[in-house]
Amino acid sequence: MKDFIVKLQNHFELNSYSKKNHLAVDINKTPQYEVIIAVLLPFFNAGQFLGRAIESVLRQDFEGFELLLLNDGSTDNSLRIAAQYSDNRIRLIDLPHKGLVSTLNTGLKMARGMWIARMDADDEMWPNRLSRQLAFAKQNPNCSVVGCKVEYEGAEAGKGYDLHVQWQNELLTHQEVCNNRFIDAPLAHPSVMFKKELVHTYGPYLDFDGPEDYELWLRWMDRGVCFGKVPETLLTWYDRPDRLSRRHDKYSAEAFFRLKARYFEKWAAKNLPEDRPILIWGNGKTVRKKSRPLWRYDLPITGYIDVRPQVVQMKKKPYVYHFEDIPEGAFILSYVGDRNGKQQIEEFFRRTGRLAGTDYFFMC
């Protein structure tokens, strides 16, 4: 840790902006209060909206937090904006540009307090976010990850990310989060607060060819960590066209399906008998492409499910079953993505007494 801090201090000394403007960055500053929550706010070229995000954190009705402003080598005026705030709860950390995962993991190493709260540079905390999440954690002591509902603000009202946010907001309990984990990330990253001890026990964010937040949630669920959400809206989530998750390959649909397959295999190894057959609901080219990563694992996949009787194929594996003739005891993975199709499949599961997480998962 000492070597790590020395490297940071050397970087501060070499930073031209710091030299010119006498920017004082005291990474070892001792707080004058008990730090319970460390808010991690990484930023890169976020000058257009960084001030709004910082001020929303400083307006919290809870005082026992520190705000780590983590500059990921910005080349715009972001560092100058961050340096204007003299609040003693702020620790400004200037880093070379290495990307979001490296920046977040640096923040985790430096954070004080037992809770970590995430925040993005283009979003806005509501004034009672930290206090409500901490109160929820105290009321639910087994819960180590606490999210909240979020308000969508963007150009896709009624579609796209807005529908995604509406879906996330419906998942409040640990069971709801876990049963829907393979559809998509069940929590908005900047809405989450989690115990710092999880990082010490299970490791920090993983830098790989996939979404770092979703991987973290799946890893923690795989280890039995309890999740929950405050059933209140406590964050405004701004959806910008140039957001990293819209333009980087690590957040592509293919990367998500690879990750889902990896963690479903881990789940199946713990929860399914080796001889329990697995069927994939859907039989078109799109479904076969989405489910292709599953075939990399030694899973007992025996075939696909189709609603069209004329395409049933039972002569060779993988078989194609009509949905009314699914073998007894089969575990089903639905890769049907359209809303009407999913609703019809959900109704079929209800009608036949099948349970999420016991008899099936939706995978998209």
Side-chain angles (χ1 to χ4, degrees):
M1 183 64 177
K2 187 178 292 184
D3 292 340
F4 173 75
I5 291 175
V6 168
K7 288 179 182 177
L8 282 176
Q9 289 172 327
N10 289 340
H11 176 68
F12 297 149
E13 291 171 3
L14 294 171
N15 184 278
S16 60
Y17 175 77
S18 299
K19 281 184 174 182
K20 282 182 183 179
N21 297 275
H22 309 289
L23 173 59
V25 185
D26 185 2
I27 62 175
N28 289 314
K29 179 170 62 178
T30 301
Q32 304 301 311
Y33 52 90
E34 180 186 7
V35 174
I36 298 173
I37 302 171
V39 180
L40 301 190
L41 197 166
F43 60 92
F44 173 72
N45 290 353
Q48 181 180 353
F49 28 72
L50 179 60
R52 179 186 64 198
I54 293 173
E55 288 166 17
S56 76
V57 179
L58 297 180
R59 286 196 300 266
Q60 293 298 296
D61 61 10
F62 172 76
E63 288 293 324
F65 72 87
E66 64 172 358
L67 172 57
L68 274 66
L69 298 177
L70 303 159
N71 180 36
D72 182 24
S74 296
T75 57
D76 68 350
N77 63 340
S78 296
L79 184 59
R80 183 180 298 109
I81 290 171
Q84 292 173 355
Y85 293 89
S86 59
D87 193 295
N88 65 1
R89 295 169 295 181
I90 291 177
R91 297 164 68 200
L92 175 55
I93 301 161
D94 185 18
L95 300 163
H97 181 56
K98 291 186 178 180
L100 178 60
V101 172
S102 176
T103 303
L104 283 173
N105 285 338
T106 296
L108 290 175
K109 290 178 182 178
M110 303 185 70
R112 304 182 178 107
M114 68 176 293
W115 290 94
I116 304 293
R118 273 287 287 113
M119 179 64 180
D120 281 345
D122 54 350
D123 294 329
E124 189 172 359
M125 275 192 191
W126 291 23
N128 58 340
R129 175 191 159 183
L130 297 182
S131 63
R132 296 297 299 129
Q133 287 186 306
L134 189 61
F136 181 93
K138 290 179 178 178
Q139 293 164 6
N140 300 271
N142 293 329
C143 193
S144 298
V145 182
V146 180
C148 65
K149 290 185 175 183
V150 303
E151 176 187 61
Y152 172 83
E153 188 69 39
E156 293 187 338
K159 59 182 180 179
Y161 256 82
D162 188 17
L163 293 178
H164 174 68
V165 167
Q166 292 177 33
W167 168 77
Q168 284 184 328
N169 285 342
E170 294 173 354
L171 309 178
L172 299 177
T173 68
H174 175 73
Q175 185 175 8
E176 289 168 343
V177 168
C178 289
N179 285 349
N180 291 276
R181 75 183 85 175
F182 297 118
I183 296 177
D184 206 323
L187 302 96
H189 196 187
S191 74
V192 168
M193 186 176 84
F194 56 83
K195 288 182 179 177
K196 187 179 179 181
E197 66 184 30
L198 294 178
V199 176
H200 297 307
T201 305
Y202 304 120
Y205 291 95
L206 182 63
D207 199 353
F208 74 117
D209 62 345
E212 71 289 331
D213 55 337
Y214 192 21
E215 192 282 331
L216 200 65
W217 313 150
L218 290 175
R219 191 194 325 159
W220 287 349
M221 280 183 260
D222 179 63
R223 300 300 183 90
V225 173
C226 183
F227 285 65
K229 284 184 189 174
V230 179
E232 303 170 34
T233 302
L234 301 173
L235 178 92
T236 301
W237 195 15
Y238 288 88
D239 180 27
R240 296 183 297 106
D242 62 340
R243 194 181 58 224
L244 186 64
S245 58
R246 284 188 176 276
R247 54 187 173 82
H248 199 290
D249 287 344
K250 67 184 295 182
Y251 304 107
S252 66
E254 291 79 7
F256 272 73
F257 283 116
R258 289 195 302 268
L259 185 62
K260 294 175 191 181
R262 172 184 162 195
Y263 275 97
F264 173 75
E265 188 277 336
K266 289 177 176 290
W267 180 89
K270 296 177 181 179
N271 295 279
L272 294 183
E274 291 183 2
D275 59 349
R276 186 175 183 182
I278 297 173
L279 298 180
I280 296 171
W281 194 308
N283 186 38
K285 290 182 179 179
T286 301
V287 167
R288 296 212 175 202
K289 181 180 179 181
K290 291 176 181 177
S291 61
R292 191 175 298 150
L294 283 174
W295 294 91
R296 300 173 186 172
Y297 300 98
D298 187 21
L299 292 166
I301 302 172
T302 59
Y304 298 88
I305 300 170
D306 207 306
V307 297
R308 301 164 296 176
Q310 67 271 24
V311 300
V312 171
Q313 190 273 111
M314 299 297 295
K315 294 181 180 179
K316 62 180 181 178
K317 291 185 178 180
Y319 302 134
V320 179
Y321 298 88
H322 186 258
F323 77 100
E324 294 287 7
D325 300 315
I326 297 171
E328 187 72 24
F331 193 92
I332 302 168
L333 299 178
S334 175
Y335 277 85
V336 175
D338 72 275
R339 290 172 64 86
N340 289 335
K342 289 177 72 172
Q343 289 173 356
Q344 292 175 20
I345 294 170
E346 285 177 338
E347 176 54 35
F348 171 82
F349 288 148
R350 281 193 293 269
R351 177 166 57 84
T352 56
R354 290 178 167 88
L355 302 175
T358 300
D359 302 300
Y360 70 88
F361 279 122
F362 281 97
M363 303 297 284
C364 63

